[in-house]
Amino acid sequence: QVVESGGGLVQSGGSLKLSCAASGFRFDDYVVTWFRQVPGKERERVSCITLSDGATYYEDSVKGRFTISSNNNANMVHLQMNNLQPEDTATYYCAADSIGLRLVKARLDCRSLRQNDYDYWGQGTQVTVSL
């Protein structure tokens, strides 16, 4: 399973660091993606990382403000979120899939995965950004 943590309430311009911890497996050759969802809207990808080669991707809406990283020793993936804005308010989910090495060999990146491809989903952590 994967478990998210680090959400909370922050003022506009503030920062939060989300963490995704794996239990029962290693992230080493996985793709880990952060999604977010607002009630009434579709879940959207925010950022992803292919642990096999470290390649990362960011949606335009968060590029330059969010940073995805891995802590291999701790078997965790983090999402550092800076300059948070009210439109970042959402429930953030971590998802993981074991396809990482195959993506690298196929010269594809983590954007290739569809939401129903993922092996594991977390329960989500709420991020609320006030004005």
Side-chain angles (χ1 to χ4, degrees):
Q1 64 175 358
V2 294
V3 179
E4 306 95 337
S5 62
L9 173 64
V10 65
Q11 288 187 329
S12 180
S15 298
L16 284 173
K17 185 176 183 179
L18 304 184
S19 296
C20 175
S23 177
F25 67 97
R26 297 276 318 166
F27 271 148
D28 297 356
D29 286 320
Y30 273 65
V31 167
V32 178
T33 300
W34 286 97
F35 292 88
R36 65 186 180 188
Q37 188 170 25
V38 175
K41 293 189 176 181
E42 291 188 358
R43 187 164 50 193
E44 63 174 2
R45 180 180 53 221
V46 174
S47 178
C48 57
I49 183 169
T50 304
L51 275 297
S52 305
D53 64 358
T56 59
Y57 171 79
Y58 301 92
E59 294 294 331
D60 287 344
S61 58
V62 305
K63 199 174 293 183
R65 300 187 298 124
F66 290 12
T67 303
I68 191 169
S69 64
S70 65
N71 182 334
N72 294 336
N73 288 337
N75 203 28
M76 298 177 75
V77 170
H78 303 289
L79 186 68
Q80 177 67 46
M81 307 186 295
N82 297 330
N83 191 22
L84 283 160
Q85 301 300 313
E87 53 266 33
D88 296 315
T89 295
T91 301
Y92 283 71
Y93 297 90
C94 170
D97 189 84
S98 59
I99 200 175
L101 195 55
R102 283 173 283 165
L103 282 185
V104 173
K105 290 181 177 179
R107 299 186 180 183
L108 297 172
D109 64 40
C110 51
R111 290 174 289 175
S112 302
L113 272 71
R114 299 164 299 180
Q115 291 196 27
N116 60 4
D117 287 332
Y118 287 87
D119 298 327
Y120 300 97
W121 284 89
Q123 293 300 306
T125 185
Q126 178 66 36
V127 172
T128 303
V129 185
S130 64
L131 289 169

